[in-house]
């Protein structure tokens, strides 16, 4: 076990070979949990899984109004304007350089869900659990984003992960599938949403898989690739329809069969690029405290609101295969 402390951050690593991202998620106690993981282990984006619970804040927006809600103080503030631009202004920023691509920040979506929920929503997590599939290490990373904030006890959290019994198996049911429009479907849902996610991640295993609990809904899905990723000032995308020349230094642009990338010019902030490039079908992913971002498109996604599962797929020929998830 090792502990490293920097200005406003602290991290502890432990051997995690007795745990998995799924078991870590199940043992965490609290609300508004999330899990980001990948089926492509040991390479690139698939090396790490990220798990969190009890976010510090939630930013949610509809039309031209962004709500800033503190889960600690129960206070809320409202801002008027373009939602993504407002998100850029309120998102905490902490400069940090670590071996991990994401060590805390906002987890959420932009314009990807039914009209009954906010069009933009991000939970802000200051404490993050990172599972390294290559070394089988667990890193617990905390970022102090408010001067008066009391530091969490990382040792207690690690003890919780190893000592809490894994919950009993749960189940779910999907029934009465109906086509709504295009590649959008609905179904009657009952049971445990995480049990549905566990089935989804097996039958639709992909490079990007996610489970995020919001107050209005639970969002689960899989996607084969990143739509837009910015790390250390470098923009990369698997989508060749994106014109990266608008944002990158021309001499740094590289294009291959499956990817194009380049170094951002100094005039662009990562969130500015996301705002310009977000597609009509929306994005799901993270915005780090350090300004790094990674978003995927809702290729196979379910939004569970009460007893209804809203199903969205960007490939209409794959939608009938959702019938394999009817019961689990």
């Amino acid at each position: 076990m090792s502990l490293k402390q920097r200005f406003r951050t602290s991290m502890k690593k432990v051997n995690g070979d007795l745990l998995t991202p799924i078991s870590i998620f199940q043992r965490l106690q609290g609300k508004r949990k999330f899990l980001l993981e990948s089926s492509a282990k040991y390479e690139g984006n698939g090396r790490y899984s990220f798990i969190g619970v009890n976010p510090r804040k939630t930013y949610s927006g509809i039309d031209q109004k962004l709500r800033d809600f503190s889960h600690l103080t129960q206070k809320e503030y409202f801002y008027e304007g373009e939602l993504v631009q407002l998100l850029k202004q309120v998102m905490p920023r902490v400069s940090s350089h670590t071996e991990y691509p994401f060590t805390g920040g906002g987890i959420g979506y932009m314009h990807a869900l039914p009209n009954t929920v906010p069009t933009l929503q991000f939970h802000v997590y200051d404490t993050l659990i990172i599972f390294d599939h290559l070394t089988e290490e667990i890193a617990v990373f905390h970022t102090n984003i408010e001067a008066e904030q009391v530091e969490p006890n990382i040792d207690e959290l690690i003890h919780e992960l190893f000592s809490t019994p894994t919950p009993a198996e749960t189940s779910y049911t999907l029934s009465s599938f109906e086509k709504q429009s295009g590649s959008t479907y609905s179904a009657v849902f009952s049971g445990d949403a995480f049990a549905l996610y566990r089935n989804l991640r097996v039958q639709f295993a992909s490079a990007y898989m996610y489970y995020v609990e919001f107050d209005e809904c639970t969002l689960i899905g899989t996607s084969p690739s990143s739509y837009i990723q910015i790390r250390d000032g470098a923009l990369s995308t698997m989508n060749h329809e994106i014109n990266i020349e608008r944002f990158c230094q021309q001499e740094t642009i590289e294009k291959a069969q499956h990817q194009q990338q380049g170094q951002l010019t100094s005039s662009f902030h990562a969130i500015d690029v996301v705002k310009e490039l977000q597609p009509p079908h929306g994005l799901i992913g993270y915005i780090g405290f350090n300004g790094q971002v990674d978003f995927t498109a809702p290729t196979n996604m379910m939004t569970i609101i009460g007893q209804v599962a809203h199903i969205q797929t960007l490939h209409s020929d794959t939608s009938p295969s959702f019938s394999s998830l009817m019961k689990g």
Side-chain angles (χ1 to χ4, degrees):
M1 180 182 296
S2 61
L3 176 66
K4 296 181 180 180
Q5 290 189 315
R6 301 180 180 89
F7 177 66
R8 303 188 74 179
T9 65
S10 57
M11 179 184 69
K12 181 166 286 188
K13 289 184 179 183
V14 296
N15 186 342
D17 61 353
L18 296 179
L19 298 174
T20 67
I22 293 292
S23 65
I24 292 172
F25 178 93
Q26 290 179 311
R27 294 178 182 198
L28 278 180
Q29 304 298 307
K31 298 180 179 180
R32 304 175 185 91
K33 299 165 70 173
F34 85 89
L35 168 61
L36 303 181
E37 58 175 342
S38 172
S39 65
K41 308 302 187 199
Y42 311 124
E43 296 181 5
N45 301 332
R47 176 172 175 175
Y48 303 107
S49 290
F50 305 98
I51 311 103
V53 66
N54 298 329
R56 182 78 174 180
K57 288 175 171 284
T58 296
Y59 301 122
S60 59
I62 299 176
D63 298 326
Q64 296 287 306
K65 180 177 287 188
L66 184 73
R67 177 178 183 248
D68 174 349
F69 180 76
S70 169
H71 295 286
L72 180 65
T73 65
Q74 300 294 298
K75 292 181 179 180
E76 61 181 2
Y77 304 91
F78 292 92
Y79 309 96
E80 299 279 349
E82 199 281 324
L83 293 180
V84 180
Q85 185 64 29
L86 291 174
L87 183 67
K88 172 188 171 182
Q89 295 173 10
V90 300
M91 182 68 68
R93 300 180 190 180
V94 178
S95 297
S96 64
H97 298 280
T98 72
E99 61 197 284
Y100 305 106
F102 180 60
T103 56
I107 300 285
Y109 63 85
M110 298 179 180
H111 311 292
L113 305 185
N115 293 332
T116 55
V117 299
T119 54
L120 175 150
Q121 188 160 207
F122 283 81
H123 289 321
V124 178
Y125 295 88
D126 56 7
T127 302
L128 198 70
I129 298 171
I130 306 169
F131 188 95
D132 186 335
H133 295 275
L134 180 60
T135 64
E136 293 189 325
E137 284 185 320
I138 294 171
V140 180
F141 204 103
H142 173 76
T143 302
N144 191 339
I145 60 176
E146 297 179 3
E148 72 278 8
Q149 181 179 347
V150 177
E151 294 282 332
N153 189 318
I154 291 181
D155 288 327
E156 286 186 2
L157 178 56
I158 292 174
H159 178 73
E160 177 182 312
L161 297 181
F162 284 92
S163 62
T164 303
T166 301
E169 291 293 320
T170 55
S171 62
Y172 69 90
T173 300
L174 284 174
S175 61
S176 304
F177 277 80
E178 292 185 6
K179 186 171 184 177
Q180 301 299 311
S181 62
S183 57
T184 302
Y185 297 74
S186 67
V188 176
F189 172 82
S190 63
D192 180 32
F194 194 66
L196 172 57
Y197 169 75
R198 293 184 66 185
N199 199 348
L200 184 75
R201 69 188 289 275
V202 172
Q203 298 196 40
F204 296 87
S206 297
Y208 283 72
M209 303 187 292
Y210 48 89
Y211 175 99
V212 190
E213 297 175 349
F214 296 100
D215 291 348
E216 303 88 352
C217 63
T218 297
L219 182 63
I220 65 177
T222 69
S223 184
S225 64
S226 171
Y227 186 88
I228 177 174
Q229 180 184 100
I230 299 175
R231 291 184 183 172
D232 300 321
L235 165 65
S236 64
T237 178
M238 305 290 284
N239 189 328
H240 281 267
E241 296 179 1
I242 292 178
N243 179 13
I244 69 170
E245 284 82 0
R246 296 169 52 199
F247 310 101
C248 297
Q249 303 170 23
Q250 299 300 309
E251 66 275 13
T252 67
I253 295 176
E254 298 179 6
K255 295 189 177 184
Q257 182 177 1
H258 300 296
Q259 187 181 39
Q260 54 176 339
Q261 61 184 11
Q263 200 73 20
L264 288 181
T265 63
S266 58
S267 59
F268 283 104
H269 185 281
I271 300 181
D272 293 328
V273 179
V274 174
K275 175 186 172 182
E276 293 294 325
L277 296 181
Q278 60 177 316
H281 46 261
L283 294 171
I284 302 100
Y286 67 72
I287 301 171
F289 291 138
N290 56 7
Q292 300 190 153
V293 303
D294 197 351
F295 285 93
T296 188
T299 305
N300 289 315
M301 185 178 74
M302 291 190 183
T303 307
I304 300 173
I305 304 174
Q307 294 183 321
V308 178
H310 300 268
I311 303 165
Q312 178 176 337
T313 172
L314 298 183
H315 305 290
S316 58
D317 58 338
T318 68
S319 55
S321 60
F322 270 115
S323 61
S324 63
L325 298 170
M326 289 285 282
K327 294 183 179 181

